[in-house]
Amino acid sequence: MKTMELVFLLIFFPVTLSVKHSLKLLVTTSSGVKNFPDYVVVGLVDEVPTGYCDSIINTVEGKQDWSQKMFEDDPQHLEWYTQRCLLHQYEYKDQIDILKQQLNQTEATCNPLWDLTLLSDSLSGVHIFQKMNGCEWDDETGEVNGFVQYGYDGEDFIAFDLKTLTWIAPKQQAVITKHKWDKDRAQNERWNYYLTQQCPELVKRYLDLGKSSLLRTELPSVSLLQKTPSSPVSCHATGLYPHRAMMFWRKDGEELHEDVEHGEILPNHDGSFQMSVDLNLSSVTPEDWRRYECVFHLSGVKDDIVTKLDKAVIRTNCEFPAGPVIGGVVGLLLLAVCITGVFIWRRRDNGFRPANSSDSSSSDPSSVKDAALN
Ligand SMILES: *[C@@H]1O[C@H](CO)[C@@H](O)[C@H](O)[C@H]1NC(C)=O
Ligand SMILES: *[C@@H]1O[C@H](CO)[C@@H](O)[C@H](O)[C@H]1NC(C)=O
């Protein structure tokens, strides 16, 4: 083999083609929303909603064919989840009350998650307390990462540090809670056991049971969209699966970083995902357009989808495709947040920093608004 070929292979086919699989439980408690369950748990396997439970139905439902069948075949497993769903409710509802007192919030003051003018009236007084726990398992190296983190009203509140088995408080308001929870060694040991032992076993079991759907690949349809002639051109892919995908703009074959804005991967109703990457063309002359192309790459699939920048194929505002789950209907927004809240929350979750470090993690309501109203 020629040296160049070898170099090429090493660059484009990294030695380990490992994939990280995950199990996450997203718990949302809210207070003060009429006709809405104040406790909702969604279980996600590889970001796909797989199980569901809330304080109205009080039982656990499989959300995929394979998880429904799993619960039918293994009632004990269903019972295990159902017990947790029931018992944990009361614990969380107490926690939200304690937090409200701790944060001196008897009335809603500043609630970034709901900083949407449409909602501000109907939802004043609403508080959202979310917990996300779970693990990632690397199918090649066997490495496991576990996490437990809490968010309050859409912002990071407290997170578990598996190395020290203590809690990290990114904000001054959470320091009291940190000290309290640090003392509960038995509980922290239980977290350690769940995150490093039980959770990865569950991931492997679910992957095996659901492999025909969880391990499938689906290429998206890719289109170029532009709201007005002066706005950036958005390269939009929808219907992709799994969520491990990359999309970028290229000029003369080279990846662009300037004037490019990457959107997040968002869930669709049907279990597939969508993503987009915007390119600001305001300083590009029409003759140069043909030098640009959008590249979509799906993990595990060799061929990329390459879309040349061409005025003739750009779709304009009026034919924008339907938004992600979270788009649109105001009445369903809370439900959407419960199911996809993790996506909103994640915007601020690149690393928990202890309180007193500069507070650059403060919320950015406009980005939430963008996600919600996309
Ligand atoms: C809440 O109010 C009490 C009494 O007014 C005060 O001592 C405490 O520091 C306040 N807590 C926060 C987080 O502002
Ligand atoms: C696009 O870039 C131009 C300058 O290069 C800038 O003035 C404009 O605000 C940018 N548009 C967006 C939507 O970022």
Side-chain angles (χ1 to χ4, degrees):
M1 190 184 296
K2 289 199 202 93
T3 320
M4 276 317 286
E5 270 169 12
L6 183 65
V7 169
F8 177 87
L9 280 176
L10 287 177
I11 292 172
F12 291 95
F13 298 91
V15 180
T16 54
L17 287 170
S18 68
V19 170
K20 281 188 175 148
H21 295 284
S22 64
L23 169 64
K24 285 182 187 168
L25 287 181
L26 180 68
V27 182
T28 305
T29 49
S30 55
S31 59
V33 189
K34 272 206 188 100
N35 303 322
F36 189 81
D38 49 15
Y39 179 84
V40 175
V41 188
V42 181
L44 303 151
V45 177
D46 282 1
E47 306 298 335
V48 176
T50 300
Y52 176 91
C53 145
D54 71 37
S55 53
I56 293 175
I57 61 170
N58 270 324
T59 177
V60 174
E61 291 176 347
K63 283 286 167 197
Q64 304 289 323
D65 291 344
W66 67 264
S67 56
Q68 275 169 13
K69 182 162 186 313
M70 171 179 77
F71 286 138
E72 278 163 26
D73 294 350
D74 186 354
Q76 263 184 322
H77 200 47
L78 178 64
E79 182 59 24
W80 185 68
Y81 273 116
T82 302
Q83 283 304 323
R84 297 179 130 219
C85 177
L86 288 172
L87 293 176
H88 291 177
Q89 276 178 42
Y90 303 102
E91 187 188 311
Y92 289 125
K93 284 174 193 164
D94 287 347
Q95 275 175 346
I96 203 169
D97 287 340
I98 293 168
L99 281 177
K100 260 199 276 187
Q101 283 169 6
Q102 225 166 281
L103 302 173
N104 285 345
Q105 276 175 326
T106 45
E107 288 297 316
T109 44
C110 167
N111 193 334
L113 202 56
W114 306 112
D115 194 14
L116 305 169
T117 35
L118 281 172
L119 290 166
S120 58
D121 290 343
S122 55
L123 289 174
S124 67
V126 171
H127 291 285
I128 308 285
F129 184 40
Q130 284 184 307
K131 179 175 87 165
M132 183 168 68
N133 70 57
C135 60
E136 276 182 344
W137 168 70
D138 187 314
D139 69 359
E140 193 80 19
T141 65
E143 190 189 323
V144 171
N145 292 315
F147 46 85
V148 188
Q149 51 197 53
Y150 288 78
Y152 188 62
D153 286 348
E155 292 187 44
D156 293 336
F157 186 72
I158 197 166
F160 190 54
D161 180 5
L162 257 177
K163 288 195 197 81
T164 59
L165 306 192
T166 58
W167 295 85
I168 303 168
K171 291 193 162 191
Q172 204 59 51
Q173 288 111 306
V175 170
I176 306 174
T177 310
K178 170 196 158 50
H179 291 315
K180 234 190 279 176
W181 290 6
D182 279 354
K183 286 201 200 103
D184 194 348
R185 296 253 173 86
Q187 177 64 24
N188 295 337
E189 285 294 345
R190 279 195 293 275
W191 271 126
N192 185 30
Y193 176 70
Y194 174 74
L195 297 172
T196 60
Q197 310 290 321
Q198 266 182 314
C199 181
E201 288 310 315
L202 289 173
V203 173
K204 288 174 219 173
R205 179 175 175 196
Y206 298 161
L207 277 174
D208 187 44
L209 289 170
K211 58 183 173 253
S212 63
S213 100
L214 290 169
L215 302 180
R216 77 189 193 275
T217 52
E218 256 174 66
L219 286 171
S221 63
V222 178
S223 24
L224 300 179
L225 311 167
Q226 194 176 28
K227 286 192 176 112
T228 70
S230 59
S231 31
V233 172
S234 180
C235 183
H236 182 263
T238 188
L240 60 106
Y241 189 91
H243 66 293
R244 292 177 291 274
M246 269 190 329
M247 202 153 73
F248 55 92
W249 281 96
R250 239 170 15 196
K251 182 190 180 187
D252 300 331
E254 300 242 354
E255 181 175 350
L256 280 174
H257 297 284
E258 258 170 60
D259 298 322
V260 170
E261 196 173 333
H262 290 267
E264 286 200 58
I265 297 192
L266 297 167
N268 285 325
H269 286 286
D270 62 1
S272 69
F273 296 88
Q274 62 168 288
M275 67 195 296
S276 64
V277 54
D278 292 357
L279 174 63
N280 184 345
L281 285 162
S282 58
S283 52
V284 178
T285 60
E287 303 83 67
D288 277 348
W289 272 42
R290 54 180 184 78
R291 297 164 66 187
Y292 291 81
E293 58 197 9
C294 167
V295 181
F296 173 86
H297 173 79
L298 189 64
S299 166
V301 175
K302 206 167 117 258
D303 293 321
D304 293 339
I305 300 178
V306 178
T307 312
K308 285 214 169 287
L309 181 59
D310 177 358
K311 262 215 166 80
V313 303
I314 292 178
R315 295 156 72 189
T316 54
N317 202 15
C318 43
E319 19 171 21
F320 256 61
V325 170
I326 198 157
V329 189
V330 171
L332 290 177
L333 188 65
L334 185 57
L335 185 59
V337 167
C338 290
I339 294 168
T340 66
V342 58
F343 294 94
I344 290 179
W345 187 12
R346 201 176 51 193
R347 284 173 183 276
R348 289 181 281 278
D349 117 281
N350 23 15
F352 266 76
R353 271 157 302 186
N356 295 332
S357 65
S358 70
D359 193 12
S360 60
S361 68
S362 72
S363 67
D364 175 7
S366 67
S367 66
V368 171
K369 199 179 291 183
D370 283 346
L373 299 179
N374 223 339

